[in-house]
């Protein structure tokens, strides 16, 4: 089934769902967007806010398994796996390990690169519209990778050559004093850094607030606290989605919502739909954390990644955020104080004023991690009018606009603006 207009229900109200709703509405679709909780209340809410075309290489790279195992032996590692009996996780880790080689890394990177470039251009178009850039605190100041030791700084030189030669993504190297001159919020004595001038950043919650306003003006119906539980089918078509919705009194009620097409954009929760969609969805939730606080007196001018401690630093116009870590703990929804502490202690090694009280928000989000580092975008095998767009790993914010455009093109049966084959749903 391919069609250019009709009614469509999007299940999942995060960044990918919003981008799909935007692209489909502009093509004439009548869109209803469902979220099991609050619109943009999950992984889209308080991530680091990086729009980073520089992040073309996946986590599955040569040496990643060795580095992860070494990190797990350290008591304060930013990477952790919660010990438990979980066959799906161990199968995922095995498939991930098999892809930690140069050939597969480049395969993923060459597939991601055009999608990253497309999203970067689409964000520029979006931010040129009315007050979008101001509303979401859009800044095009680049992204700085900071290294504490000379050995780690020098090791990245090989990656820089690869990105320059394969993808035309060169970074500017800064050593020692030059780094502190460029970013005075950093401590003296650091080895140096690599700077990607074309990256950008924004405040994700404010982006989603502004995006919601645009969607509603375009006629999108947004329904919160509506959890999809399955499809009613006629042959290989989905005729309606069964939902459990909470009414204004807090009571739940069941209903069926009919549409011509459906798009599942539920991120790390997408594996819940495997049986309904007739395909494996090998996504694991990679739990990340963030702390949001007022801007320090010595606030960085440039967003940065503190590479040897895996901490992201985001100076926003209305605040300041430390984020990252990677915890494979299943769908654990607790906030671990020790993991938050790693963000602060990691930042202390690099920044003159690494954080400031009071803490305004502590947060976690489940990143939808795939074994090959590529999202799953396309028609589902069992139901010809149901599409999947999930598994964007740590790049959901960066890849959202291009994903929305790609989904709209695929649903219309058009030639796609990037090669969609690497993202096909049943490839893994």
């Amino acid at each position: 089934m391919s069609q250019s207009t009709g009614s469509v229900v999007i299940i999942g109200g995060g960044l990918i769902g919003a981008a799909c709703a935007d692209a489909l509405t502009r093509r004439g679709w009548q869109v209803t967007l469902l979220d099991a909780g609050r619109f943009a209340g999950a992984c889209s809410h308080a991530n680091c806010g990086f729009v980073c075309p520089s992040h073309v290489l996946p986590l599955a790279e040569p040496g990643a398994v060795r580095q992860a195992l070494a990190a797990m032996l350290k008591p304060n590692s930013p990477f952790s796996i919660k010990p438990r009996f979980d066959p799906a996780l161990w199968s995922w880790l095995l498939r991930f390990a098999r892809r930690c080689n140069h050939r597969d890394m480049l395969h993923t990177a060459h597939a991601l690169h055009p999608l990253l470039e497309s999203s970067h251009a689409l964000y520029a178009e979006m931010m040129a519209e009315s007050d979008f850039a101001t509303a979401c605190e859009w800044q095009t100041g680049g992204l700085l990778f900071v290294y504490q030791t000379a050995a780690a700084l020098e090791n990245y030189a090989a990656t820089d050559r690869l990105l320059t030669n394969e993808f035309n993504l060169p970074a500017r190297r800064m050593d020692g004093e030059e780094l502190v001159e460029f970013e005075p919020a950093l401590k003296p004595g650091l080895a140096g850094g690599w700077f990607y001038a074309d990256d950008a950043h924004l405040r994700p919650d404010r982006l989603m607030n502004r995006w919601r306003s645009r969607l509603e003006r375009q006629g999108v119906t947004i329904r919160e606290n509506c959890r999809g539980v399955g499809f009613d089918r006629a042959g290989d078509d989905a005729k309606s989605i069964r939902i459990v919705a909470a009414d204004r009194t807090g009571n739940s009620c069941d209903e069926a919502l009919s549409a011509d097409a459906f798009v599942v954009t539920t991120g790390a929760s997408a594996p819940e739909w495997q049986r309904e969609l007739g395909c494996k969805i090998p996504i694991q939730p990679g739990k990340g954390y963030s702390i949001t606080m007022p801007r320090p007196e010595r606030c960085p001018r440039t967003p940065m990644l503190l590479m040897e401690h895996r901490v992201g630093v985001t100076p926003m116009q209305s605040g300041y955020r430390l984020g990252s870590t990677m915890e494979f703990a299943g769908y654990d929804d607790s906030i671990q104080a020790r993991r938050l502490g790693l963000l602060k202690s990691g930042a202390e090694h690099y920044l003159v004023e690494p954080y400031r009280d009071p803490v305004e928000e502590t947060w976690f989000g489940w990143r939808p991690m795939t074994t090959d580092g590529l999202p799953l975008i396309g028609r589902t095998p069992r139901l010809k009018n149901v599409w999947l767009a999930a598994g964007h790993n740590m790049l959901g914010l960066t890849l959202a606009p291009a994903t929305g455009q790609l989904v709209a093109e695929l649903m219309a049966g058009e030639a796609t603006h990037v090669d969609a084959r690497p993202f096909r749903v049943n490839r893994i």
Side-chain angles (χ1 to χ4, degrees):
M1 172 184 174
S2 297
Q3 64 183 89
S4 57
T5 59
S7 59
V8 58
V9 173
I10 298 174
I11 305 103
L15 280 155
I16 304 302
C20 290
D22 197 352
L24 289 167
T25 301
R26 285 186 279 108
R27 288 168 173 265
W29 287 83
Q30 180 184 346
V31 178
T32 299
L33 183 63
L34 308 179
D35 196 279
R38 178 171 53 87
F39 174 81
C43 204
S44 301
H45 174 67
N47 58 68
C48 285
F50 299 154
V51 177
C52 44
S54 63
H55 280 45
V56 68
L57 296 180
L59 288 181
E61 60 183 1
V65 173
R66 175 180 51 78
Q67 293 169 16
L69 291 174
M72 289 176 63
L73 297 176
K74 300 177 182 178
N76 293 320
S77 170
F79 175 78
S80 70
I81 299 176
K82 182 180 180 180
R84 63 194 187 278
F85 178 71
D86 187 343
L89 171 63
W90 295 108
S91 174
W92 187 97
L93 290 169
L94 179 60
R95 291 197 300 270
F96 176 88
R98 288 172 176 167
R99 296 195 63 88
C100 291
N101 59 77
H102 189 79
R103 178 180 59 85
D104 286 333
M105 177 189 72
L106 281 182
H107 171 80
T108 292
H110 280 290
L112 272 180
H113 186 233
L115 202 63
L116 288 164
E117 294 292 302
S118 170
S119 260
H120 193 243
L122 289 170
Y123 266 120
E125 293 177 11
M126 181 187 297
M127 297 306 157
E129 297 178 20
S130 61
D131 64 340
F132 234 107
T134 301
C136 70
E137 304 181 18
W138 172 256
Q139 297 178 73
T140 55
L143 181 63
L144 181 62
F145 292 17
V146 184
Y147 289 89
Q148 190 177 22
T149 65
L153 176 72
E154 189 57 42
N155 283 342
Y156 192 79
T159 300
D160 176 61
R161 289 192 296 271
L162 174 67
L163 294 181
T164 300
N165 296 334
E166 292 277 346
F167 307 103
N168 192 28
L169 288 170
R172 172 187 166 190
R173 178 171 176 161
M174 290 178 273
D175 292 281
E177 293 182 3
E178 182 185 3
L179 176 68
V180 177
E181 289 175 6
F182 179 82
E183 179 47 83
L186 290 167
K187 288 182 175 180
L190 297 169
W194 296 85
F195 177 63
Y196 287 94
D198 291 336
D199 286 9
H201 71 286
L202 50 74
R203 181 157 183 156
D205 56 335
R206 299 196 176 186
L207 167 70
M208 295 304 288
N209 289 341
R210 181 63 180 79
W211 215 337
R212 178 174 187 159
S213 297
R214 180 163 84 169
L215 292 175
E216 290 177 333
R217 286 199 305 271
Q218 291 170 338
V220 174
T221 299
I222 297 175
R223 296 187 58 181
E224 300 178 311
N225 302 310
C226 289
R227 181 170 60 88
V229 295
F231 293 106
D232 296 315
R233 293 182 285 169
D236 55 1
D237 272 344
K239 292 301 183 184
S240 61
I241 182 171
R242 300 186 306 278
I243 61 176
V244 177
D247 62 22
R248 293 181 179 178
T249 65
N251 296 319
S252 63
C253 56
D254 299 342
E255 61 179 290
L257 190 60
S258 300
D260 297 313
F262 303 85
V263 187
V264 177
T265 63
T266 52
S269 300
E272 296 175 353
W273 292 90
Q274 289 182 132
R275 187 181 299 274
E276 288 284 325
L277 303 182
C279 60
K280 292 182 178 180
I281 305 178
I283 289 172
Q284 282 290 321
K287 192 174 183 181
Y289 290 84
S290 76
I291 309 170
T292 304
M293 61 202 87
R295 289 168 60 91
E297 292 296 325
R298 294 281 295 273
C299 188
R301 299 178 300 197
T302 308
M304 60 185 74
L305 291 171
L306 311 178
M307 297 298 289
E308 286 149 288
H309 290 79
R310 302 295 177 182
V311 176
V313 180
T314 311
M316 303 173 292
Q317 292 170 355
S318 60
Y320 174 77
R321 181 167 294 157
L322 301 177
S324 201
T325 80
M326 179 68 76
E327 183 182 21
F328 286 99
Y331 294 95
D332 173 17
D333 61 0
S334 64
I335 293 181
Q336 302 292 326
R338 186 178 67 84
R339 306 298 293 175
L340 295 173
L342 293 178
L343 300 177
K344 287 187 171 182
S345 62
E348 288 172 352
H349 293 278
Y350 301 82
L351 292 162
V352 174
E353 191 177 352
Y355 43 82
R356 180 180 177 184
D357 292 327
V359 170
E360 296 173 349
E361 182 179 21
T362 58
W363 173 89
F364 83 91
W366 292 317
R367 306 179 184 101
M369 306 300 294
T370 61
T371 55
D372 62 359
L374 295 174
L376 301 157
I377 305 171
R379 190 200 310 269
T380 61
R382 178 172 293 165
L383 298 170
K384 67 182 184 181
N385 64 336
V386 179
W387 304 78
L388 177 66
H392 289 73
N393 295 270
M394 300 173 73
L395 294 172
L397 175 62
T398 299
L399 293 174
T403 297
Q405 181 171 325
L406 181 58
V407 167
E409 292 164 347
L410 288 168
M411 291 177 66
E414 299 175 359
T416 57
H417 75 291
V418 298
D419 185 0
R421 291 172 296 179
F423 313 115
R424 62 192 183 279
V425 170
N426 60 354
R427 70 178 186 272
I428 302 175

